[in-house]
Amino acid sequence: MTPPAPAQDDRVAPVDWEALREAARDAMSRAYAPYSHYPVGAAARVDDGRTVTGCNVENASYGIGLCAECGLVSDLLNSGGGRLTHFTCVDGRGEVLVPCGRCRQLLYEFGGPGLLLETPAGLLPLSEMLPQAFGPEHLA
């Protein structure tokens, strides 16, 4: 298996980060968070220009709740696959969040080290948010 391809350079293929954030906020509005009351929405651009989204889905058995990134990856695969190139995630106030460690690993699988993440500290490649990541290339 070959290593994931790096995300497109934002300078070459400009991304409307506000529109991506708005898509994440829209997804967040449909989150199912009756236990934590902490809705989360995520949106990402795919290498073919599509936008995919997801929201968190909690469960009375707390450990089996799904983060927004899980829904986003499901949307990616259900709508034709591809590689994630740009990602943002928002909380219930619409403020930018960083993905948890589990979700960074999930994003690595579908976006690779070059996936650009919008964070409260600015735009960062996933390689800086998940250094020395384990991925499909390790299973070859």
Side-chain angles (χ1 to χ4, degrees):
M1 189 172 249
T2 60
Q8 294 176 351
D9 187 328
D10 193 37
R11 294 167 299 204
V12 175
V15 169
D16 183 346
W17 285 98
E18 181 55 40
L20 205 56
R21 240 177 280 116
E22 220 22 70
R25 289 178 184 125
D26 183 55
M28 178 270 301
S29 73
R30 289 184 293 283
Y32 179 72
Y35 307 105
S36 71
H37 305 288
Y38 194 78
V40 176
R45 184 165 178 190
V46 182
D47 58 2
D48 64 6
R50 283 177 297 134
T51 296
V52 292
T53 62
C55 62
N56 61 321
V57 178
E58 295 180 349
N59 189 280
S61 176
Y62 295 147
I64 63 172
L66 300 173
C67 294
E69 293 84 348
C70 295
L72 181 141
V73 166
S74 181
D75 190 25
L76 170 71
L77 296 174
N78 191 46
S79 64
R83 300 294 293 167
L84 300 174
T85 60
H86 301 79
F87 173 87
T88 192
C89 187
V90 299
D91 64 17
R93 297 179 323 247
E95 300 295 320
V96 174
L97 293 173
V98 295
C100 71
R102 174 181 174 258
C103 289
R104 291 177 200 187
Q105 183 66 43
L106 181 66
L107 292 171
Y108 185 83
E109 183 91 7
F110 295 95
L115 173 61
L116 260 183
L117 278 69
E118 183 179 39
T119 76
L123 300 178
L124 295 172
L126 185 54
S127 60
E128 288 188 32
M129 300 293 295
L130 188 66
Q132 300 183 43
F134 179 85
E137 64 276 12
H138 292 98
L139 300 175

